[in-house]
Amino acid sequence: MKNNQLVEKIIEKIFCISDFKLNQKIVLHEPYFKNTNALKYAKECINSGWVSSAGKWVENFEEKICAYTGSRYAVAVSNGTVALRLALFISGVKSSDEVIIPPFSFIATANAVSHLGAIPHFVDIEPNRLGLSPAALQQRLEEISERKNGLIYNKLTGRRIAAVIPVHVFGNPLKIIEIKKICDHWKIPLIEDAAEALGSWVKSENSIKHCGTFGKASIISFNGNKIISTGGGGVLITDSFSLAKKARHLSTTAKIPHKWEFEHDEIGWNDRLPNINAAIGSSQMEILDKRLESKRKLFEKYSEIFKDIKEIELVREEENCISNNWLISIRLKGDNKKNLKIMRNEILNYAHTKNILLRPSWNLINTFKMYKKNPSGELKIAEDQVYRIINLPSSPQLIDL
Ligand SMILES: *Cc1c(COP(=O)(O)O)cnc(C)c1O
């Protein structure tokens, strides 16, 4: 098929998904509050006067996150980026340490590292699920690391490698069991960026675990475009009592509880999720299963309509994984690498003229000027995948209201 024919065919197919109204903009992912208790709970919260960083809704929301994910502890904070910075900090990441991350992620993964004065170190992804590659991680560690006093150092830079942050890209679980094995072997703390992965699971021999429950501490985001939203918000999850306690303390200005005294024992942050956002979050947790179900149906529909276009494939969950289908993506096949970016841009361009706001994947983080000179392994897979991926409109309300 010629490029322009392919482009038209793809867009024509997307129109089959839903009875889109003419001139209606079809966006990538929209939050949903209609027919939910969002307003009711927010009103209750306002009427109580407890709208800020204390109140029963924060606790209620955290309990719901624990019950859903199976994590022992949850600390709700103001967004996913802050949650990640906090997870790194309580795991012992310090200024001038290196933290291994994939280049194929939202920039927040790198920024959270930088906010502590630490340095993102890029390691390649694996082509199917687009998450950090266990083989590349193992190889990179073998190439560069040396052990001193039980800690792992990058012998090229002399800096400590203080954590690894794999990312469950678009909600698709990465090879977390293999990554965890490697991190355990090298004794490097594992922190999962599960910002996009609420409702995503990984099966092993006789258990099933939620994404984010493999790491020492992990994070989920509730930004407006995520699968459920608190307006803005995030949560740190962990099974460790002492880490959760530390996170809670540091995220509330490290204030020592007392009836009236203002006593603080560390330099803390003001990171806690406001009660009013948590109230909305509690109402969103009530519709999570319904949204996941609709998303699965949407994925199946896309799968059906694209099955006869040989030039593309859908990015799919692999065996033993359950994806929340947060962003459903097509991958351009073919070996003509020069043509890929052109074809991708033609598809994006044409789709936007038809008001279907398709989005490319993020540009690789290591290509941004702030991160260009960072330590990095070979990034061949990420460089190849980046122009192949196009995200489709993925709101559950496209097929179900
Ligand atoms: C959304 C997102 C974040 C950050 O979450 P915010 O709540 O927007 O700060 C971090 N990592 C990834 C992969 C994300 O998609």
Side-chain angles (χ1 to χ4, degrees):
M1 234 186 288
K2 289 245 175 58
N3 270 1
N4 57 347
Q5 284 173 308
L6 176 62
V7 173
E8 279 171 34
K9 186 119 189 229
I10 291 172
I11 303 307
E12 181 194 310
K13 294 278 188 186
I14 294 176
F15 272 107
C16 307
I17 280 289
S18 184
D19 30 343
F20 296 140
K21 290 181 204 78
L22 218 56
N23 297 325
Q24 175 195 0
K25 276 204 167 73
I26 300 157
V27 301
L28 195 67
H29 203 279
E30 281 185 296
Y32 183 77
F33 301 106
K34 262 188 274 175
N35 307 322
T36 72
N37 286 320
L39 199 57
K40 181 173 167 233
Y41 295 170
K43 245 189 198 157
E44 272 182 49
C45 180
I46 288 168
N47 289 337
S48 78
W50 290 90
V51 293
S52 203
S53 53
K56 70 162 194 178
W57 288 108
V58 176
E59 222 169 277
N60 180 287
F61 182 53
E62 288 175 347
E63 275 167 16
K64 283 192 158 114
I65 294 291
C66 287
Y68 189 84
T69 59
S71 178
R72 260 195 217 140
Y73 305 99
V75 180
V77 291
S78 53
N79 59 60
T81 312
V82 152
L84 197 52
R85 186 255 289 137
L86 195 59
L88 290 163
F89 188 84
I90 60 172
S91 302
V93 173
K94 298 202 165 52
S95 174
S96 299
D97 284 340
E98 289 182 12
V99 175
I100 292 179
I101 70 167
F104 192 90
S105 181
F106 180 51
I107 194 165
T109 315
N111 285 350
V113 174
S114 305
H115 290 159
L116 290 174
I119 293 140
H121 179 144
F122 301 104
V123 168
D124 209 357
I125 60 168
E126 159 287 309
N128 294 331
R129 314 178 192 191
L130 306 169
L132 187 66
S133 155
L137 177 62
Q138 176 71 18
Q139 194 192 334
R140 186 67 182 158
L141 286 170
E142 276 167 15
E143 267 166 28
I144 60 159
S145 65
E146 64 183 345
R147 208 182 282 269
K148 272 191 274 177
N149 308 324
L151 301 173
I152 303 296
Y153 285 80
N154 177 349
K155 61 186 173 203
L156 307 177
T157 60
R159 292 189 288 244
R160 183 170 75 110
I161 299 177
V164 173
I165 316 178
V167 182
H168 299 282
V169 171
F170 309 143
N172 210 351
L174 67 108
K175 295 189 169 179
I176 191 66
I177 294 172
E178 290 91 325
I179 295 283
K180 182 169 166 41
K181 266 191 201 142
I182 297 169
C183 289
D184 286 349
H185 172 81
W186 294 85
K187 297 203 172 64
I188 304 175
L190 168 66
I191 293 163
E192 293 167 81
D193 183 342
E196 307 172 351
L198 183 65
S200 300
W201 302 81
V202 178
K203 296 178 210 162
S204 61
E205 284 131 48
N206 43 19
S207 70
I208 177 161
K209 272 166 74 74
H210 195 275
C211 285
T213 61
F214 295 84
K216 188 170 174 172
S218 303
I219 70 108
I220 300 170
S221 163
F222 307 108
N223 190 34
N225 62 349
K226 299 291 185 336
I227 187 156
I228 61 161
S229 180
T230 56
V235 72
L236 180 152
I237 56 176
T238 179
D239 280 345
S240 155
F241 173 77
S242 61
L243 286 185
K245 193 174 161 200
K246 215 164 162 183
R248 206 159 268 141
H249 187 58
L250 283 166
S251 63
T252 47
T253 67
K255 184 179 180 298
I256 296 166
H258 189 278
K259 271 191 186 141
W260 57 78
E261 294 286 3
F262 283 96
E263 197 61 46
H264 306 259
D265 60 357
E266 272 182 271
I267 299 176
W269 285 284
N270 177 17
D271 280 347
R272 282 296 254 170
L273 186 69
N275 204 34
I276 189 164
N277 297 81
I280 294 169
S282 287
S283 76
Q284 290 274 287
M285 284 303 284
E286 296 168 353
I287 60 161
L288 176 58
D289 282 339
K290 177 80 183 32
R291 273 173 89 70
L292 288 165
E293 199 183 301
S294 304
K295 273 181 159 296
R296 190 148 289 269
K297 273 196 235 159
L298 182 62
F299 181 89
E300 278 155 18
K301 213 157 170 186
Y302 273 128
S303 198
E304 179 62 31
I305 59 172
F306 286 134
K307 75 173 189 287
D308 53 350
I309 306 183
K310 286 193 294 294
E311 290 86 347
I312 62 171
E313 63 184 7
L314 286 184
V315 175
R316 286 175 186 278
E317 68 195 2
E318 292 202 9
E319 232 182 300
N320 300 325
C321 292
I322 299 171
S323 170
N324 65 0
N325 295 301
W326 174 57
L327 286 188
I328 301 169
S329 328
I330 52 175
R331 184 189 340 253
L332 304 174
K333 299 203 299 203
D335 295 327
N336 185 353
K337 295 193 178 177
K338 259 203 182 136
N339 194 24
L340 280 177
K341 189 174 179 186
I342 297 169
M343 190 173 9
R344 182 199 76 169
N345 287 349
E346 279 175 4
I347 294 170
L348 292 172
N349 243 324
Y350 185 73
H352 279 240
T353 66
K354 299 286 180 194
N355 276 330
I356 299 179
L357 307 186
L358 299 185
R359 299 293 295 272
S361 76
W362 316 279
N363 287 324
L364 300 182
I365 300 176
N366 61 299
T367 63
F368 300 140
K369 70 172 186 223
M370 313 77 83
Y371 293 118
K372 260 192 178 138
K373 292 185 179 147
N374 282 46
S376 174
E378 268 195 3
L379 303 176
K380 282 200 178 121
I381 306 287
E383 283 158 6
D384 178 59
Q385 289 294 318
V386 68
Y387 295 126
R388 294 183 186 273
I389 301 295
I390 296 173
N391 291 319
L392 299 167
S394 304
S395 303
Q397 51 268 46
L398 284 176
I399 55 165
D400 259 324
L401 281 174

